Amino acid sequence: MKKQTITTAFFTLLCLYGCDSQPNAESPPQTQDNQAIIDEIADTLVVNFEVLENRGDGKCLPDIEQSCYRAAITLTSPKAITTKDWSIYFSSVDKLNRSLPGEFNIEHVNGDLNRISPSESFTSFTAGESKTVEFIVNGLNLTEARMMPNYYVVSDTTQAKTIASTRPYDDKETGLEIRPYATDLDWESDFVRAPGDNTQLADSAYIYDKNQDISDDKSNVDVGIIPSPSSVSRKNIDGSLDISKGLRIASNEFGSDSIKYALSNLESLGFALNDNADSVAVAIKRVDDNQLPKGSYTLDITPKNILIESADKSGAAYAITSISRLADLNTRTLPFVTVEDSPRFQFRGMHVDVSRNFHSKAFILKLMDQMANYKMNKLHLHLGDDEGWRLEIQDLPELTGLGSRRCHDLQENECLLPQLGSGADPDPIRDGFYTKADYLEILRAATERHIQVLPSFDMPGHSRAAVKAMEARYHYYMQKEQPEKATEFLLSDFDDTTEYSSIQHYNDNTINVCLPSSYEFIGKVIDEIKALHDQAGHPLTRYHIGADETAGAWVDSPECKALFDDPQLALNDAHDLAGYFIEKIASLLHKKGIEPAGWSDGMSNPRIRYMPPVVQTNLWETLYSGGHKTAHSQANRGWQAVLSTPDALYFDFPHETHPKEAGYNWGSRHTNTRKIFEFMPGNLPAHAEFWQNNVDADYQLDDRDSMLQPGKGFIGIQGHLWSETIRSDNQAQYQIFPRLLALAERAWHKPEWEVPYNYQGELYSKETNHFTESMRQQRDSEWQNFANTLGHKEFLKLDKNDVFYRIPTVGAKIIDKKLQANLIFPGLPIEYRTQGGQWQPYNGPVEVSQNIEIRARSADKSRAGRSEFVTFQ
């Protein structure tokens, strides 16, 4: 490494350990004139990104036999630019295949970062002139979310500055992110899709047809509890219980800590807790029944009082939570009912990625509030990946000092490269980390809510933030002539000449699994996290190592070649090293009393005989690609198998098929709340009878050669939010809610309409009929109750708790000159207007004579949803 780089790294690390200032690796001597030019370009240049054509038919170009899209970035300068001494950096999550000849060159830097610079043929910008850069990109671009923001401009002698026209902002009425640089995708002209792609645009007419079987029916809303209990029965008593004067805990055999959060949520909804004589008495009784699943309870609401019985603390809390779900915020009453309830699964999880884009402690605390409100009990916190390390670790300040920040520093002495549209400078919204105090607060809040936190730093792939941080540490201690400390936690073999590209286009994101120092690092991190859990009184009993998507690393690492020569290890090639790594980390964790967990593709690599007795695997293969086979195989190992099925459980996928809906779409173009409600965790291949694949084509699943063994199955299900396209806390909530409520429904309640699993194996397709018509009718009837409970009762509670849930798009058509509208969740307000007119409430079919714009509002009417246009014909 060059002396200047080493020296800069040295001063950078000094500052991590404590100093007032440090040199800027990307700040060579600059002149005021040069910086003024860059500032002016950043402030005035108008950038426009446009998808010119999507080609999903394998005919991208004569020499490119794959899906691709042709894109253009148009640069318009209101002022003349005569210098060539500038470059623009931008993110493209899809790999650039080539740029087309012109006045600019485009080159890949690393990950998703790319650089545009003037070519030899560049002349200049005259005032008001536009210039276009065209290029070919692998894959398809079907949503605006893939058009990353925050381009920035820099020269060799200046500071970088984000281009103002590429900064996203939130719409004042909807709160949704606006990308001013992104040209609208046109469904008809921009998409040439693969043969057999039946996906339809979810416009107002499409949604109207989809909602036809949903009616506004409040008949069961008063007794609706989400998630549905095992049984709820009305008492033969007129009226309802008035709780407007509050509730008082007359007795509690579990102690106040067990129900502390559940009671605070009742208060947040406006129900007082007091000792007044006219408040409703609540008695909580412990019952001795070891046969009841953890979390079980009974709830009896009578005209005189409320009685709760449970065998454990979580059950008592869940009973209070059910009171919150039953409560009507308008009438401030409870129905007279008896509820008997037990959870289907003991693992009811939600995964949140805070590494790709950081999400605040306040967001995590709010998310756990809602998880508790809907009886979810596992938070899988993804704290480390290529784009960021998000937890302070004792004695390793580099991890957060460098690894949590992104900025324009191509040598990465002060920060990581910008990625995912993070821009030129560290942003406290997208870049940040949890201090030890923050993490302790999260853990203690989780304990109060009966939630277990499962931390994860993805390894050995997806580890670039840690790799670069430990390289910086190495250079710091080498400069101080302390080679033992320099190599103590090193994750890189500097003599490794392997060339690879990860799934996110990195060439340096994988921990070298052959270095003893890699295991020292992981052991150190685990020990520090375990100490934090112990301090919080929230024991670390399970840790998720990731282990997925490891690229072709290590092939030419001398350290690894030495392992291949060791006959005792029986390693044949670099592929075997993935399993070797998992086996070693699983053993390390087991010795510390911690159970290992990982993603199913990585967990297929270790040899079972070298794994501990308790192992969790997250099953994330899509069903339509045969993912049930991996799921059954790993469950048959006796491992604790958790369903992470992308078809229904990835909340970073769009709610509906529309370019304005955020998220990736490799596994599903549309995953709305109803689809999650339809999920049958007990019979994965049976979904082929009523679901389609990611291009809405029918598929067939053969389970006759990959059956579950009798007595084997899944311990639960987990929803997921990956944050590549999710830059703010509100965006994260928009993707999670209301889908989390359907996730909770399926995690807690086993429906009678689920197709029983056949341990002899079956073939499933649209032509088979294991999912009978009576099952379909029962499912759709229960969905009707669920949807109305959300629309008429639950959304108002989410509003009270300041949750930024997705307001559904309105289905609408103009039929016989009358505007007809519906919603997937009846009960929310709808409003419409003519072009340029005022919004007015929609209360039923109304005669119109021109095109109409229509949208829904939140239950408390404080916020509008995304609008759609309805064409008058």
Side-chain angles (χ1 to χ4, degrees):
M1 182 171 285
K2 295 180 181 179
K3 183 177 179 180
Q4 178 186 0
T5 302
I6 295 175
T7 302
T8 307
F10 171 69
F11 280 109
T12 298
L13 267 295
L14 275 178
C15 287
L16 293 176
Y17 287 91
C19 73
D20 295 326
S21 62
Q22 56 183 298
N24 184 338
E26 287 298 313
S27 301
Q30 56 188 266
T31 67
Q32 185 174 359
D33 288 345
N34 288 345
Q35 188 66 54
I37 291 171
I38 293 301
D39 290 350
E40 185 172 72
I41 292 174
D43 292 341
T44 63
L45 188 70
V46 177
V47 177
N48 179 264
F49 184 99
E50 182 177 8
V51 174
L52 302 175
E53 183 181 29
N54 272 295
R55 295 302 298 254
D57 56 4
K59 299 177 181 178
C60 181
L61 287 174
D63 63 333
I64 304 178
E65 295 183 359
Q66 65 179 62
S67 297
C68 75
Y69 64 92
R70 187 165 57 93
I73 295 174
T74 300
L75 308 175
T76 303
S77 178
K79 298 186 178 182
I81 303 175
T82 57
T83 178
K84 288 186 177 182
D85 184 21
W86 54 271
S87 296
I88 291 174
Y89 289 79
F90 73 102
S91 289
S92 173
V93 295
D94 301 304
K95 187 174 183 179
L96 269 67
N97 187 291
R98 68 187 65 175
S99 59
L100 302 181
E103 293 188 70
F104 299 94
N105 297 320
I106 302 183
E107 57 184 313
H108 176 239
V109 179
N110 205 350
D112 66 40
L113 189 64
N114 300 277
R115 175 171 46 236
I116 300 172
S117 55
S119 67
E120 289 297 322
S121 62
F122 176 81
T123 54
S124 65
F125 277 96
T126 59
E129 184 179 6
S130 296
K131 294 180 182 290
T132 298
V133 190
E134 289 195 23
F135 48 97
I136 305 295
V137 186
N138 294 343
L140 299 176
N141 191 327
L142 306 175
T143 68
E144 280 187 14
R146 301 184 84 86
M147 304 178 190
M148 291 292 165
N150 296 315
Y151 295 40
Y152 65 90
V153 61
V154 67
S155 78
D156 291 338
T157 60
T158 66
Q159 295 282 347
K161 188 168 182 180
T162 300
I163 297 173
S165 65
T166 65
R167 292 185 185 274
Y169 61 89
D170 292 340
D171 181 81
K172 292 181 179 179
E173 288 195 273
T174 66
L176 300 179
E177 184 181 77
I178 303 297
R179 306 169 188 90
Y181 55 89
T183 299
D184 288 347
L185 287 162
D186 184 271
W187 188 262
E188 298 300 326
S189 62
D190 288 339
F191 296 91
V192 176
R193 293 168 290 166
D197 188 342
N198 302 314
T199 311
Q200 297 182 55
L201 176 68
D203 59 12
S204 58
Y206 174 87
I207 294 171
Y208 180 83
D209 291 340
K210 284 289 185 180
N211 291 343
Q212 280 298 295
D213 66 338
I214 304 171
S215 60
D216 192 335
D217 181 0
K218 295 190 288 185
S219 58
N220 292 312
V221 167
D222 64 327
V223 296
I225 300 173
I226 297 176
S228 299
S230 304
S231 71
V232 55
S233 56
R234 293 181 186 272
K235 296 180 181 294
N236 190 21
I237 303 173
D238 292 335
S240 55
L241 181 62
D242 183 354
I243 56 172
S244 61
K245 301 296 176 61
L247 301 167
R248 55 186 167 88
I249 306 302
S251 61
N252 178 8
E253 297 181 2
F254 289 100
S256 60
D257 286 349
S258 62
I259 59 171
K260 182 177 180 180
Y261 169 74
L263 291 176
S264 72
N265 181 248
L266 266 172
E267 288 185 294
S268 76
L269 298 177
F271 298 105
L273 298 172
N274 54 54
D275 294 324
N276 296 341
D278 53 358
S279 61
V280 176
V282 179
I284 304 172
K285 182 180 179 182
R286 181 194 295 269
V287 295
D288 294 324
D289 190 341
N290 295 329
Q291 302 302 311
L292 286 174
K294 186 177 180 181
S296 302
Y297 67 90
T298 61
L299 170 65
D300 193 37
I301 300 175
T302 74
K304 294 184 178 180
N305 56 27
I306 299 172
L307 175 63
I308 291 169
E309 293 185 348
S310 179
D312 65 89
K313 294 180 178 180
S314 64
Y318 293 151
I320 298 291
T321 298
S322 288
I323 294 174
S324 298
R325 298 309 99 198
L326 281 168
D328 187 311
L329 299 191
N330 293 314
T331 64
R332 304 177 66 74
T333 61
L334 294 171
F336 296 125
V337 293
T338 299
V339 178
E340 296 182 354
D341 205 3
S342 292
R344 176 180 189 174
F345 293 122
Q346 288 299 316
F347 193 109
R348 305 180 298 278
M350 184 66 207
H351 161 283
V352 179
D353 167 19
V354 298
S355 176
R356 269 59 176 270
N357 283 302
F358 183 64
H359 297 296
S360 69
K361 178 185 70 176
F363 164 79
I364 296 296
L365 295 174
K366 184 183 289 188
L367 174 63
M368 289 197 298
D369 286 350
Q370 297 309 315
M371 289 176 63
N373 291 344
Y374 297 101
K375 305 183 178 77
M376 305 287 290
N377 69 343
K378 308 288 182 181
L379 175 62
H380 179 170
L381 205 51
H382 188 76
L383 292 160
D385 212 292
D386 294 324
E387 292 79 12
W389 183 282
R390 307 302 183 188
L391 178 62
E392 179 185 10
I393 298 296
Q394 182 73 32
D395 302 324
L396 295 177
E398 309 88 353
L399 287 170
T400 49
L402 184 147
S404 73
R405 304 170 68 247
R406 291 175 284 192
C407 70
H408 181 70
D409 175 6
L410 297 182
Q411 299 300 323
E412 297 183 286
N413 296 316
E414 297 181 25
C415 54
L416 300 175
L417 290 173
Q419 296 288 310
L420 301 169
S422 59
D425 303 302
D427 184 319
I429 295 176
R430 296 182 298 272
D431 291 316
F433 64 93
Y434 304 122
T435 65
K436 290 184 288 184
D438 290 336
Y439 193 63
L440 289 170
E441 184 177 347
I442 289 170
L443 294 177
R444 288 166 179 150
T447 299
E448 283 188 355
R449 290 152 181 76
H450 303 280
I451 293 170
Q452 180 185 12
V453 175
L454 306 175
S456 172
F457 294 94
D458 216 338
M459 302 173 183
H462 290 281
S463 295
R464 192 172 188 275
V467 169
K468 292 302 173 184
M470 292 302 97
E471 286 180 2
R473 186 179 192 276
Y474 168 86
H475 293 305
Y476 169 73
Y477 281 111
M478 288 300 288
Q479 185 75 13
K480 294 189 71 174
E481 298 182 353
Q482 297 182 37
E484 289 187 3
K485 287 188 73 67
T487 58
E488 183 180 13
F489 300 122
L490 187 62
L491 306 176
S492 313
D493 177 2
F494 293 129
D495 295 322
D496 186 356
T497 59
T498 307
E499 294 183 3
Y500 66 92
S501 179
S502 75
I503 192 70
Q504 278 86 23
H505 321 306
Y506 292 103
N507 57 22
D508 55 358
N509 77 330
T510 305
I511 292 172
N512 190 297
V513 301
C514 306
L515 292 172
S517 54
S518 295
Y519 299 96
E520 291 297 320
F521 169 80
I522 295 168
K524 168 67 173 175
V525 168
I526 295 299
D527 286 344
E528 296 299 335
I529 297 174
K530 186 175 186 298
L532 289 173
H533 279 249
D534 290 343
Q535 184 178 346
H538 189 99
L540 180 64
T541 59
R542 185 166 295 185
Y543 175 84
H544 203 285
I545 64 177
D548 65 315
E549 294 183 333
T550 300
W554 319 310
V555 175
D556 296 316
S557 165
E559 296 285 343
C560 292
K561 288 179 179 178
L563 293 185
F564 297 148
D565 295 334
D566 187 339
Q568 293 184 336
L569 296 180
L571 299 172
N572 297 316
D573 53 35
H575 179 269
D576 291 344
L577 290 172
Y580 167 80
F581 172 82
I582 294 169
E583 291 164 10
K584 289 202 66 170
I585 299 304
S587 176
L588 180 153
L589 291 168
H590 182 62
K591 290 175 182 177
K592 297 177 185 294
I594 303 169
E595 298 161 353
W599 300 106
S600 53
D601 57 332
M603 300 305 279
S604 65
N605 293 317
R607 295 161 291 188
I608 299 175
R609 65 183 181 277
Y610 293 119
M611 294 296 284
V614 179
V615 175
Q616 177 186 313
T617 179
N618 284 85
L619 306 158
W620 71 283
E621 286 83 353
T622 55
L623 293 181
Y624 58 80
S625 64
H628 70 288
K629 295 183 179 182
T630 299
H632 293 172
S633 172
Q634 296 197 1
N636 287 341
R637 294 180 181 182
W639 288 357
Q640 295 198 2
V642 176
L643 293 174
S644 296
T645 312
D647 313 51
L649 301 179
Y650 270 38
F651 295 173
D652 49 301
F653 291 168
H655 289 266
E656 301 287 357
T657 307
H658 197 286
K660 296 291 185 183
E661 289 292 337
Y664 280 172
N665 49 32
W666 57 265
S668 173
R669 299 275 290 278
H670 51 91
T671 303
N672 65 13
T673 306
R674 185 169 187 172
K675 185 176 184 181
I676 300 163
F677 181 89
E678 293 176 349
F679 186 49
M680 301 186 299
N683 194 329
L684 299 181
H687 292 90
E689 293 203 349
F690 54 84
W691 278 359
Q692 289 77 42
N693 64 14
N694 62 335
V695 293
D696 279 6
D698 295 343
Y699 61 93
Q700 175 179 288
L701 293 178
D702 192 343
D703 191 40
R704 293 172 293 189
D705 61 352
S706 55
M707 299 87 73
L708 269 174
Q709 297 171 4
K712 298 295 195 296
F714 311 113
I715 67 165
I717 67 175
Q718 178 172 280
H720 303 77
L721 183 77
W722 298 101
S723 291
E724 289 96 332
T725 66
I726 313 301
R727 282 174 285 278
S728 71
D729 291 351
N730 272 359
Q731 283 181 304
Q733 291 185 65
Y734 181 92
Q735 294 299 114
I736 293 172
F737 295 97
R739 293 191 279 201
L740 182 131
L741 279 68
L743 170 69
E745 178 76 8
R746 289 287 69 85
W748 182 273
H749 179 73
K750 182 178 181 179
E752 293 182 4
W753 45 262
E754 183 175 283
V755 178
Y757 185 75
N758 184 351
Y759 291 96
Q760 304 304 311
E762 287 283 5
L763 181 69
Y764 297 92
S765 72
K766 293 295 187 300
E767 308 305 318
T768 57
N769 193 36
H770 305 290
F771 185 66
T772 65
E773 183 59 30
S774 63
M775 290 175 175
R776 188 182 304 274
Q777 291 176 1
Q778 186 176 5
R779 180 196 68 186
D780 294 348
S781 175
E782 290 185 14
W783 165 254
Q784 174 90 354
N785 290 333
F786 185 90
N788 274 277
T789 300
L790 261 68
H792 288 287
K793 193 162 67 171
E794 291 305 304
F795 282 130
L796 188 57
K797 294 171 185 175
L798 293 178
D799 286 330
K800 281 277 190 180
N801 291 158
D802 194 30
V803 174
F804 192 86
Y805 57 87
R806 179 183 185 267
I807 299 169
T809 310
V810 178
K813 284 184 175 181
I814 297 174
I815 303 172
D816 295 331
K817 298 184 180 181
K818 287 189 175 182
L819 176 65
Q820 309 267 3
N822 58 26
L823 281 171
I824 190 172
F825 304 117
L828 290 177
I830 298 175
E831 58 187 15
Y832 71 100
R833 69 178 178 183
T834 58
Q835 186 174 2
Q838 296 295 315
W839 290 104
Q840 50 190 311
Y842 174 87
N843 298 311
V846 59
E847 191 166 320
V848 296
S849 59
Q850 56 184 295
N851 295 346
I852 294 295
E853 187 177 5
I854 194 165
R855 67 187 185 186
R857 297 196 71 89
S858 58
D860 66 358
K861 301 183 181 180
S862 66
R863 183 166 54 92
R866 181 171 60 80
S867 66
E868 278 288 321
F869 289 91
V870 190
T871 303
F872 180 83
Q873 294 178 338

